[in-house]
Amino acid sequence: MGEEFAPSSQLNGRGKSAAKKGRKKSKTASTAETQSAPRKGNDARSEKATANPQSNTSPSGTSQSSGDARPAWLGRTAYAALDLGTNNCRLLIARAANDGFTVVDAFSRVVRLGEGLNSTGKMSEAAMDRAIEALSVCADKLKRRNVVLARSVATEACRQALNGVEFIERVKRETGIVLDVISPKEEARLAVMGCHALLEEGEGPAMIFDIGGGSTELVLVSTDGLVPEILDWASVPWGVVSLTESEAHRGDDEQSLQETYAAMRAKVRESFADFAARLPVGQGDHRLMGTSGTVTTLASVYLNLPSYDRRQIDGLHLPTSAMREISQTLASRPPKGRAEFPTIGHERADLVVAGCAILETIFDIWPGERLGVADRGIREGILRALMASDARRRKRR
């Protein structure tokens, strides 16, 4: 029995709703179209960009033309989605638009909240301090943008850490932000709702995955209906931070690097085994869509970009064979060699190989010829849910 991935109208974590699924034209590496503003770096910046510009799916889930009348309040109301992951802290603030929503402010910072968690079972004081600092910036933005509705979620690091509850309480006390520690299934659902419109047309089920810092979520969906329907899903405790920290440094010579990569791949393969055994064989086109820093970073390497450009990455579809080749190239280089790629740099050089190991293993169990790349996910899913919830609530008045 499938489960519909309709947007959850989560206002403080309660409620459900349904929405029609939009479909975007696919973008290939040679015909990349400008879509929206670049990814944010460590500094907070504003952007005026439309999310999902080619879709006519409204926040309430019904398809509209750009000339349809909308309630005046809808375009003036600010909504926010905050995602505190194992590696990053990300915020989006947006207003509803006819074709989805318009981002009015955004923030992203690498905080490495899960650093050292595997060995100690706890988040370190330094990691929590980094997260609090980033969340304080987010809190200031929420106030300055007069956000009406917001949802702030935390994922694997806060799920696993023995001091997770204390950290959540500290965040509320010092920043005023109330973090909702979501389940792996909710994390997967929100990621799907944030990016499924970028899936290519095709036959059979599709695989959507999110390689995080502390976990990886894989979701098999059917796109036969008006909304994506879950067929199966899995969450494994390997992300770029947790997998990197699970392997002791063997050395930077070629043999040591290959042994490390092989060990990472073996761990991920084992964790995927039960899910892989349930996957259908020989059905359809094996469509793939990835939403994570791993896939966006590798896509930027594929395009040989001098700096990351979201407009060229979000919605891109490229050969999985090329992504394998890039993954193996990176795995054969020491961190200094990986950092020579401008869109990897020193910030991602130590973690990117773990992401490559997870990505290649996903290709092993779901051998599609092309990979869709989404620079969107949990936050966008939250925003659509908030807007749908607010529209229904106001309509009932």
Side-chain angles (χ1 to χ4, degrees):
M1 186 73 176
E3 174 183 343
E4 290 187 349
F5 265 119
S8 166
S9 63
Q10 303 230 10
L11 183 59
N12 293 330
R14 296 184 295 273
K16 292 183 179 179
S17 67
K20 287 187 179 180
K21 171 172 64 72
R23 178 70 69 220
K24 294 197 69 169
K25 295 179 180 179
S26 65
K27 186 198 318 183
T28 64
S30 59
T31 59
E33 299 171 6
T34 298
Q35 295 194 23
S36 54
R39 176 202 284 174
K40 303 299 173 290
N42 286 350
D43 297 325
R45 305 173 194 167
S46 299
E47 68 176 332
K48 293 183 179 179
T50 301
N52 196 15
Q54 296 178 7
S55 168
N56 287 325
T57 304
S58 73
S60 62
T62 57
S63 181
Q64 300 187 9
S65 67
S66 58
D68 288 342
R70 302 287 302 255
W73 61 265
L74 196 56
R76 296 193 300 264
T77 304
Y79 304 84
L82 190 154
D83 172 20
L84 179 64
T86 303
N87 198 44
N88 293 279
C89 175
R90 298 185 178 99
L91 171 72
L92 274 185
I93 300 175
R95 294 190 179 94
N98 283 333
D99 47 10
F101 54 82
T102 299
V103 176
V104 297
D105 207 347
F107 173 81
S108 179
R109 180 175 294 175
V110 174
V111 295
R112 300 205 177 194
L113 183 60
E115 189 174 61
L117 180 60
N118 274 2
S119 59
T120 66
K122 294 184 177 182
M123 294 178 283
S124 70
E125 288 297 326
M128 290 188 291
D129 288 346
R130 290 193 298 267
I132 291 289
E133 183 180 353
L135 290 167
S136 296
V137 175
C138 294
D140 182 61
K141 284 181 172 290
L142 294 173
K143 293 176 184 176
R144 288 192 290 109
R145 293 292 183 177
N146 297 313
V147 170
V148 172
L149 290 175
R151 188 182 184 198
S152 304
V153 302
T155 56
E156 189 69 9
C158 292
R159 285 195 294 259
Q160 285 193 359
L162 297 174
N163 56 347
V165 173
E166 292 84 351
F167 173 69
I168 298 298
E169 293 173 350
R170 179 185 169 189
V171 169
K172 182 179 179 180
R173 184 172 64 251
E174 296 187 20
T175 71
I177 291 173
V178 178
L179 288 172
D180 178 12
V181 182
I182 59 176
S183 68
K185 187 172 185 178
E186 173 72 352
E187 183 177 357
R189 189 191 65 79
L190 288 171
V192 168
M193 289 314 305
C195 72
H196 73 84
L198 296 177
L199 274 170
E200 288 185 298
E201 298 284 355
E203 298 296 325
M207 179 77 72
I208 297 177
F209 62 90
D210 181 2
I211 302 172
S215 66
T216 294
E217 282 66 47
L218 305 101
V219 187
L220 188 71
V221 299
S222 167
T223 56
D224 293 338
L226 295 176
V227 295
E229 181 185 9
I230 181 172
L231 301 175
D232 203 348
W233 76 284
S235 178
V236 301
W238 296 125
V240 296
V241 175
S242 57
L243 187 58
T244 298
E245 293 187 351
S246 75
E247 284 301 313
H249 182 68
R250 290 177 168 85
D252 289 339
D253 59 282
E254 183 177 354
Q255 181 177 346
S256 296
L257 292 169
Q258 291 304 318
E259 288 175 354
T260 298
Y261 192 58
M264 287 181 174
R265 294 261 274 130
K267 287 181 177 179
V268 178
R269 188 182 307 111
E270 182 180 2
S271 69
F272 284 175
D274 288 344
F275 179 67
R278 302 194 302 265
L279 293 175
V281 178
Q283 293 186 18
D285 301 319
H286 286 88
R287 289 171 290 162
L288 280 159
M289 172 66 65
T291 167
S292 70
T294 293
V295 294
T296 57
T297 298
L298 267 60
S300 68
V301 172
Y302 175 85
L303 294 180
N304 198 29
L305 297 180
S307 61
Y308 188 85
D309 185 351
R310 183 181 189 272
R311 293 168 296 182
Q312 297 190 58
I313 298 299
D314 188 48
L316 183 70
H317 289 81
L318 42 76
T320 54
S321 58
M323 296 294 265
R324 280 190 183 274
E325 184 178 347
I326 292 169
S327 295
Q328 292 162 15
T329 297
L330 293 173
S332 68
R333 294 188 175 202
K336 185 177 180 180
R338 300 168 208 154
E340 293 174 357
F341 292 93
T343 53
I344 294 178
H346 294 287
E347 187 177 72
R348 297 182 178 88
D350 59 333
L351 301 179
V352 70
V353 166
C356 292
I358 297 169
L359 183 64
E360 281 212 81
T361 310
I362 292 172
F363 294 161
D364 291 344
I365 68 171
W366 194 251
E369 294 183 357
R370 283 158 59 81
L371 171 67
V373 181
D375 189 348
R376 60 180 75 181
I378 291 175
R379 294 170 303 163
E380 287 80 2
I382 290 172
L383 285 173
R384 291 185 183 281
L386 288 177
M387 291 173 186
S389 173
D390 197 27
R392 286 194 309 277
R393 180 177 63 84
R394 292 175 185 256
K395 189 176 181 179
R396 287 196 299 266
R397 286 180 176 178

